[in-house]
Amino acid sequence: MRSGPTDTLQGSDDGAPARDSEVVHTFNSPGDHEQRPSVEDDAMKITTRRETLFGQLQIVTRAASTRSAVQALSGVQVLARGDGVELRATDMEIGLRVPLESEVVREGSVVLPARLLVDVVRALPASDVSLELRPAEQDVELIGGSATFHIRTLRSEDFPPFPEPEGDGRVEVPGPAFVETVLKVARSASRDETRPVLTGILVSAAGEELRMVATDAYRLSVKETPLDPPLSGAFEANVPARALQELTRIVQHEGAETLNVSARANQVVLEAGGVVLSSRLIDGQFPNYRQLLPDAYEHELRLSGAEVAEVVRRISLLAQKNAPLRLAFTEGELTVSARTPDVGEARETFPAPFAGEPLEIGFNPEFLRDGLEAVEGGDLVLKLISPLRPGLIQAADGSGFQYLLMPIRLNV
């Protein structure tokens, strides 16, 4: 049985892969970024609470690299200045800056191995912690209660400067609306790095609407979220899906009601709850998603989203080894079935407002589940044309969510 899609979604896509030099440019472009800290590195000492340090390290280390040839990128920079302490990490695609509530005894900065630092702080026995740079030994002395650790530092010279948020052109967006919109579309972003333009989410914000679009060429998600009051500015950018998923975690963790977005030619800086996330933007032309949506459909069915999702989830257990999930429509009912040779088969029938000639269409079970789960509660509208044309799932409540899915060609 052929399990691949009958085709991919086709649209205008002139995107070219972002070159390595463009990624580096994001964090080292003259004029776009702050200067390196001017504080002396040979004197730094801070004191803080173990719980506070551990919590902030868990956030910032998500941006530390795990596979870079530059050792400093696997570390966390501790930057202590007169106005406070900041933890920083970057893998040259995204960067995180996290404030740390602490007392600055002496200013300075140091880069320490991220994973080791997290493990050490987690294991400390006391609530009060001090970190002091020892230049002669090229390490940091970390003391917590009766425990003392000496951790070798990484090369500060190899740690890049970070972009500063811009005052001009900064747009304030409601945090909950932004998170809701990201979560609706993020699953449709591609993970195929050979087509980098599809690994992002096209984010457009202007006036009374926030819109996000993602596609991997087999499915397309669109979410249009109304905003009240209207935005004071506007922006459009193709942002890596990973960066926006990290941002949603931050907004939810910090309980941020608003976030600030500064979009530039090749990067975006987003602030939420005191945390600053910077990311490169993806070069290339994002597909024109409006051209992908059919103008008309042969069938439109209003169904219970929860019921359909539960049936699909159950029957998908027998759609293994790339087997498709089959949806067979006959007068007044829908049968969902799956069959995997040498494993077994399953089917379930329930009422559906279908009329006309019988129609059977196949879908990738995981992709179909993603679309149904994105609708969440309430009814959905399923729109179909033919077994070889894409199907559309819409939220019936008019919330602005659309999910276009390519079918799988079925062999009888």
Side-chain angles (χ1 to χ4, degrees):
M1 176 178 294
R2 178 178 173 181
S3 59
T6 58
D7 202 347
T8 58
L9 297 170
Q10 298 294 326
S12 58
D13 183 352
D14 300 321
R19 299 182 299 275
D20 290 343
S21 60
E22 293 172 329
V23 175
V24 174
H25 177 76
T26 300
F27 286 93
N28 292 281
S29 176
D32 284 345
H33 306 93
E34 65 170 10
Q35 299 297 314
R36 291 184 182 274
S38 59
V39 293
E40 293 296 327
D41 290 354
D42 60 358
M44 190 205 81
K45 181 177 181 180
I46 65 170
T47 61
T48 185
R49 303 282 293 178
R50 188 199 74 87
E51 296 82 1
T52 303
L53 177 58
F54 182 62
Q56 298 301 76
L57 282 172
Q58 285 185 304
I59 296 174
V60 74
T61 53
R62 294 184 64 86
S65 177
T66 57
R67 56 186 180 182
S68 174
V70 181
Q71 197 174 17
L73 296 181
S74 67
V76 171
Q77 183 185 58
V78 183
L79 178 59
R81 295 185 285 199
D83 56 354
V85 178
E86 192 171 72
L87 305 177
R88 300 181 171 192
T90 178
D91 61 3
M92 300 306 294
E93 292 190 1
I94 70 169
L96 283 174
R97 299 168 50 179
V98 178
L100 177 65
E101 185 178 338
S102 56
E103 178 185 351
V104 178
V105 180
R106 291 189 296 271
E107 296 184 3
S109 68
V110 66
V111 180
L112 295 171
R115 184 172 300 178
L116 178 60
L117 183 59
V118 170
D119 290 341
V120 168
V121 173
R122 178 191 289 115
L124 290 176
S127 59
D128 293 324
V129 179
S130 70
L131 290 86
E132 181 175 6
L133 177 63
R134 305 193 306 169
E137 291 81 3
Q138 296 184 340
D139 68 18
V140 162
E141 184 175 74
L142 192 154
I143 300 176
S146 58
T148 300
F149 290 82
H150 293 131
I151 303 175
R152 295 296 296 268
T153 61
L154 304 178
R155 281 175 52 88
S156 294
E157 297 85 354
D158 294 337
F159 198 86
F162 275 49
E164 288 288 352
E166 293 181 341
D168 296 337
R170 185 161 55 179
V171 180
E172 186 176 282
V173 182
F178 198 92
V179 167
E180 176 198 357
T181 310
V182 171
L183 294 177
K184 291 288 188 181
V185 305
R187 292 180 181 181
S188 292
S190 176
R191 297 176 179 84
D192 183 2
E193 294 296 335
T194 63
R195 300 188 69 187
V197 72
L198 300 184
T199 64
I201 296 175
L202 183 65
V203 183
S204 306
E208 300 179 342
E209 184 179 86
L210 170 65
R211 182 177 65 249
M212 296 189 191
V213 184
T215 180
D216 59 6
Y218 301 105
R219 52 185 171 165
L220 168 76
S221 291
V222 181
K223 176 66 171 77
E224 297 173 340
T225 303
L227 301 176
D228 186 21
L231 300 178
S232 59
F235 67 91
E236 181 171 273
N238 188 5
V239 185
R242 177 193 166 209
L244 292 181
Q245 289 169 321
E246 288 296 334
L247 183 66
T248 61
R249 293 188 183 96
I250 293 168
V251 172
Q252 291 172 328
H253 181 271
E254 301 293 323
E257 289 299 317
T258 61
L259 60 92
N260 292 308
V261 183
S262 301
R264 309 174 193 178
N266 66 342
Q267 67 183 12
V268 64
V269 180
L270 307 110
E271 306 168 76
V275 178
V276 180
L277 183 149
S278 50
S279 172
R280 67 180 178 88
L281 295 180
I282 298 176
D283 194 17
Q285 182 66 41
F286 194 87
N288 185 343
Y289 77 93
R290 291 185 176 87
Q291 292 181 349
L292 304 175
L293 296 170
D295 295 326
Y297 297 86
E298 293 295 325
H299 304 279
E300 294 190 17
L301 295 80
R302 186 178 181 119
L303 303 168
S304 167
E307 181 181 17
V308 177
E310 281 298 319
V311 172
V312 166
R313 194 175 295 115
R314 279 194 294 271
I315 304 305
S316 293
L317 295 173
L318 271 295
Q320 302 177 20
K321 302 178 182 179
N322 297 321
L325 195 70
R326 294 170 174 256
L327 278 64
F329 297 88
T330 56
E331 195 75 28
E333 64 181 23
L334 165 60
T335 299
V336 180
S337 65
R339 179 178 180 273
T340 303
D342 301 323
V343 176
E345 58 185 74
R347 67 174 52 242
E348 186 168 347
T349 301
F350 58 96
F354 182 86
E357 292 296 320
L359 183 152
E360 185 175 34
I361 189 169
F363 291 114
N364 177 298
E366 179 185 353
F367 291 175
L368 181 57
R369 286 198 308 272
D370 286 347
L372 295 173
E373 290 171 1
V375 173
E376 296 178 343
D379 290 349
L380 60 84
V381 176
L382 177 62
K383 299 183 178 183
L384 301 169
I385 302 173
S386 72
L388 300 182
R389 297 289 303 279
L392 182 71
I393 297 172
Q394 288 181 319
D397 60 4
S399 59
F401 175 70
Q402 300 183 85
Y403 187 83
L404 189 70
L405 180 59
M406 288 299 299
I408 293 175
R409 188 186 301 272
L410 298 175
N411 293 327
V412 179

